[in-house]
Amino acid sequence: MALRVTNIGTTNNFIEQILNTRRDLEDSRAEISSGYKVINASDDPGRAGTIASLIATSQRIDRHIARIAFATSYLEAQEGAVQSANNVMIRLQELAQQAANDTNTQDIREQIADEVYQLRDTLGSLANTRYQDLYVFGGLRDTTPPVTKVDDFFTVPPTAGARERTNWDFDRDDPSALVPPSRQAT
């Protein structure tokens, strides 16, 4: 039996080849523009699972990088506060040595006392250092201030199940006397 090649058959075959070439060209353009060999899971089912796994791993790595950046900045905030507190302590030591001199007048001693109280307030504010609305020295309670100042006294909130802490302060009129909390002026 002889086959007859018709113009319609040749034309249909030619159009099908053109459409296939056009589809391949569009797939190539999509690969080039996206940078991915597999765009849809149906393009290569064997690689689709591997690609999904790699994407999930990449997202986990990005989350770890964000956590590391946060921790680094948080520790830098702590380190800066501790360095500032160290500088305050050095200044307090200098003032203690200066105050130990018997030749100081009452005015000089009062100036030293005023500076000591200012430095104490500075230490209190350093204890309440914050980074992104978290108190860096708050421990597990990083949303509440570790130190609060009531009147002229600093207090530390008690922890759950712990005894309340006793806070002592110096009497400004008599710096040599420690004043227990029961006798502190309010």
Side-chain angles (χ1 to χ4, degrees):
M1 182 167 151
L3 290 175
R4 208 172 131 198
V5 178
T6 62
N7 284 341
I8 291 176
T10 305
T11 304
N12 285 342
N13 188 21
F14 183 66
I15 290 173
E16 186 178 329
Q17 287 177 355
I18 289 174
L19 291 175
N20 286 339
T21 304
R22 180 177 275 178
R23 190 174 331 117
D24 291 342
L25 180 62
E26 287 301 318
D27 290 345
S28 296
R29 282 184 184 163
E31 287 177 14
I32 291 170
S33 67
S34 69
Y36 297 117
K37 175 92 174 136
V38 178
I39 297 170
N40 298 316
S42 62
D43 294 344
D44 190 350
R47 291 185 180 169
T50 303
I51 290 170
S53 174
L54 290 173
I55 289 171
T57 301
S58 175
Q59 291 171 343
R60 279 196 321 271
I61 289 171
D62 290 342
R63 287 191 304 269
H64 287 305
I65 289 171
R67 286 185 194 114
I68 289 169
F70 174 81
T72 301
S73 298
Y74 190 81
L75 291 173
E76 287 172 353
Q78 281 184 334
E79 184 178 359
V82 168
Q83 182 62 41
S84 296
N86 186 46
N87 293 339
V88 169
M89 296 302 289
I90 289 170
R91 180 62 185 149
L92 285 169
Q93 184 178 18
E94 292 169 357
L95 289 172
Q97 290 172 352
Q98 183 180 349
N101 188 348
D102 287 337
T103 62
N104 288 334
T105 64
Q106 183 65 24
D107 290 338
I108 292 174
R109 289 181 190 271
E110 287 176 7
Q111 290 173 0
I112 291 172
D114 288 339
E115 188 174 351
V116 166
Y117 277 97
Q118 289 172 359
L119 292 172
R120 178 200 64 173
D121 292 345
T122 301
L123 285 174
S125 67
L126 287 172
N128 288 334
T129 299
R130 295 172 70 144
Y131 177 74
Q132 291 187 2
D133 292 332
L134 300 174
Y135 290 97
V136 297
F137 299 115
L140 295 176
R141 296 182 307 170
D142 55 6
T143 57
T144 58
V147 176
T148 55
K149 186 175 181 184
V150 179
D151 296 326
D152 203 30
F153 305 104
F154 284 95
T155 59
V156 177
T159 57
R163 293 184 311 149
E164 189 169 333
R165 295 183 177 163
T166 303
N167 298 301
W168 296 80
D169 199 0
F170 289 102
D171 184 350
R172 282 192 77 118
D173 297 327
D174 184 9
S176 64
L178 282 175
V179 179
S182 61
R183 293 190 17 225
Q184 290 177 356
T186 56

